[in-house]
Amino acid sequence: MKKQWLLILVGSLLVLTSCMNKANEPKAKYVFLFIGDGMGISQVYSTELYLASLNGNRQTNNLNMSKFPVQSYMTTYSSNSWITCSSASGTAMASGFKTNNGVLGKDSTLTINFESIAEKAKLAGYKVGILSSVGINHATPASFYAHQNSRGMYYDIAMELPVSNFDFFGGGGFITPKGKGENQPDAYENAEKSGYTYIHSKESIQNIKKGSEKVLAVNPFLLSKAEFAWEIDNAKESISLAEFTRKGIELIDNPKGFFMMIEGGKIDWACHANDGAASVKEVLAFDMAVAEALQFYKMHPDETLIIVTADHETGGMIIGNENEPNLGLLMNQNVSAQEFGRLLVNVQQTNPKATFEQIMELVQQHFGLGSDSKGLALSAMEIAMLKKAFDETFDGSKGLDPDKEYLDISANKTIPDVAVYLLNHKAGISWASNDHSATEVPVRVIGPGQQYFTAPIDNTDIPKIIAKLMGL
Ligand SMILES: [Zn+2]
């Protein structure tokens, strides 16, 4: 009798242990975390309305991310502000802890380094990839591997990158690769010395094969802050975020699994400039990168988790003003506000006596403004706004700075500012500011564990849920 009881006890223990082991098993072996910088609900919805307008219908769930089964939202505030910045929000999404705006991967007293979900995954034997369309040492990607008192310490962040030992870094280059001191090593050389294969031509990036240990792949075509060209400017020499995502998957796919963070960094920059058309094109490019992850998901649906979210909203974008929204009008803009600024600087230099009428021709050519047939006729007041900008900024000395990260549109001072403002207004887009807002951001999820994202969450919940699902 005693023996029988013992057998039952041992049997039950065995069943219990096997259940516990099952509970510890990772449910999500492949995790993609997509962060659209500055991508609020309206940034996504304006892109959906743009596509609906091009398709001539009222179907709005026309992006890859809008078809995900979980469509929720998330709060983003930081330790010291309702309005977060990319480093505080990046830190929250990477580590599960809030910090002050401007701080990177550390607590607000600057004494504790937070371990990121990417660092945890790497330690547990997963492969890790970090991708961004802006500098790879910019706040969002850096939140996953660096720990610095300030997000602006670009050189120190760049030098910290190889310490992570992560398997793939792709996209933008280093902002400030050289330190201020004379004897400070170049950050690219430092990465190579630490065992990274640094590649930066289209050919070498396309040809690199699996088995290359650690890779730092940088887009050969970059702008002044080591970021991708604007999507709307259609730089042919550039490699897209989607291509980088595909290459990243190819390189780090392995039987143990991986964690990959992909940032669409210039949605934020477009919205700082209140440039709706540029924002739409950046969201589309970001969604194409999501499509690459979806391809992978289709091969491993039971083990692949894709999360698409944002660090914060930028610009306080709202669809609606006294005009009926017609996002299709944005199609008439074929250049970013920033690139149009550069183009005008070039005109100033080659033809300083250019007349207002000549500049208006350029405005029409690049924004459609002034064209009746395109539905973009200008009122006398709107022409006066452009004339004022022309009078105040077209003497070659002020107003136009092509190297600025984004334009200061707050006072609608320059010709590109006014052109963008008028086109956005006619398309039905309004803006609250040139900066981030406190509004919640979208959370779209597909894959094992998606049910944990159905209720609204906080940005600190993201790594906690991922850790649970990856068994970290
Ligand atoms: Zn920003």
Side-chain angles (χ1 to χ4, degrees), residues 37-38 85-86 138 151 268-269 272 311-312 314 405-406 434-436:
D37 201 311
C85 81
S86 292
H138 206 266
R151 58 180 282 177
D268 172 65
W269 297 20
H272 276 289
D311 51 355
H312 52 75
T314 303
E405 196 171 273
Y406 38 77
N434 290 101
D435 223 320
H436 305 167

Side-chain angles (χ1 to χ4, degrees), residues 347-453:
V347 175
Q348 278 177 336
Q349 283 160 357
T350 52
N351 182 14
K353 293 217 164 66
T355 61
F356 178 59
E357 286 67 34
Q358 285 172 312
I359 297 302
M360 285 299 282
E361 269 173 40
L362 289 175
V363 168
Q364 180 160 342
Q365 197 181 317
H366 294 291
F367 295 86
L369 292 167
S371 162
D372 288 356
S373 61
K374 288 177 173 155
L376 289 170
L378 291 169
S379 68
M381 202 184 82
E382 288 166 340
I383 293 170
M385 283 171 75
L386 284 159
K387 180 71 167 54
K388 184 167 180 277
F390 174 80
D391 290 342
E392 285 175 1
T393 65
F394 202 74
D395 65 1
S397 67
K398 52 191 174 187
L400 298 171
D401 176 1
D403 285 329
K404 263 194 338 190
E405 196 171 273
Y406 38 77
L407 296 160
D408 173 17
I409 201 165
S410 50
N412 294 326
K413 287 187 200 104
T414 68
I415 299 160
D417 294 339
V418 179
V420 158
Y421 166 79
L422 291 175
L423 183 61
N424 278 242
H425 189 74
K426 286 171 188 296
I429 297 180
S430 306
W431 299 92
S433 79
N434 290 101
D435 223 320
H436 305 167
S437 78
T439 173
E440 295 113 323
V441 295
V443 177
R444 273 119 203 237
V445 188
I446 186 169
Q450 66 186 35
Q451 66 273 20
Y452 296 110
F453 296 89

Side-chain angles (χ1 to χ4, degrees), residues 50-328:
Y50 174 83
L51 290 178
S53 185
L54 295 195
N55 297 335
N57 60 30
R58 287 199 189 272
Q59 244 178 320
T60 55
N61 61 338
N62 45 25
L63 291 170
N64 290 296
M65 64 177 108
S66 26
K67 296 189 182 96
F68 284 12
V70 171
Q71 307 270 318
S72 187
Y73 60 90
M74 175 172 96
T75 46
T76 65
Y77 58 89
S78 73
S79 290
N80 64 340
S81 173
W82 290 112
I83 300 178
T84 191
C85 81
S86 292
S87 70
S89 192
T91 301
M93 283 189 282
S95 71
F97 294 102
K98 295 215 184 262
T99 192
N100 286 352
N101 284 2
V103 180
L104 188 75
K106 299 181 92 158
D107 75 321
S108 53
T109 67
L110 309 178
T111 48
I112 303 162
N113 284 0
F114 296 139
E115 192 181 33
S116 80
I117 188 77
E119 289 166 325
K120 279 197 182 109
K122 182 69 193 162
L123 271 179
Y126 289 94
K127 291 209 173 194
V128 173
I130 302 291
L131 288 78
S132 178
S133 59
V134 297
I136 200 71
N137 54 345
H138 206 266
T140 306
S143 297
F144 289 81
Y145 65 82
H147 312 273
Q148 297 288 342
N149 293 355
S150 163
R151 58 180 282 177
M153 297 167 75
Y154 287 120
Y155 179 72
D156 303 81
I157 297 168
M159 295 299 282
E160 223 185 320
L161 177 140
V163 180
S164 71
N165 246 335
F166 292 170
D167 305 272
F168 182 72
F169 286 95
F174 286 133
I175 310 161
T176 327
K178 294 190 195 320
K180 287 198 181 95
E182 263 180 32
N183 297 324
Q184 288 188 294
D186 176 278
Y188 291 108
E189 282 169 21
N190 176 57
E192 282 182 311
K193 266 196 196 133
S194 315
Y196 276 86
T197 305
Y198 165 48
I199 44 175
H200 48 96
S201 74
K202 212 167 197 172
E203 231 186 2
S204 56
I205 293 171
Q206 279 162 353
N207 291 341
I208 191 155
K209 289 276 169 301
K210 217 176 168 139
S212 334
E213 278 290 277
K214 295 183 288 185
V215 175
L216 169 60
V218 173
N219 199 330
F221 189 83
L222 294 173
L223 300 185
S224 63
K225 295 202 168 56
E227 83 278 23
F228 287 20
W230 295 98
E231 280 300 319
I232 197 169
D233 293 333
N234 208 6
K236 295 272 179 282
E237 312 87 335
S238 184
I239 301 177
S240 70
L241 189 63
E243 286 173 271
F244 271 106
T245 305
R246 194 185 320 141
K247 184 49 85 174
I249 294 170
E250 181 194 323
L251 292 182
I252 71 171
D253 182 15
N254 76 101
K256 167 79 195 170
F258 61 73
F259 170 83
M260 194 184 274
M261 192 291 295
I262 303 106
E263 186 205 20
K266 291 190 78 170
I267 302 165
D268 172 65
W269 297 20
C271 295
H272 276 289
N274 291 4
D275 185 345
S279 166
V280 160
K281 296 291 168 72
E282 294 299 325
V283 172
L284 283 173
F286 180 64
D287 194 58
M288 292 307 288
V290 173
E292 295 294 333
L294 260 181
Q295 283 297 327
F296 184 86
Y297 168 89
K298 281 172 190 156
M299 292 186 289
H300 312 272
D302 299 334
E303 298 166 307
T304 307
L305 175 69
I306 309 175
I307 304 158
V308 182
T309 186
D311 51 355
H312 52 75
E313 194 274 346
T314 303
M317 183 200 250
I318 285 291
I319 301 161
N321 50 29
E322 68 273 21
N323 296 321
E324 165 67 17
N326 181 1
L327 277 290

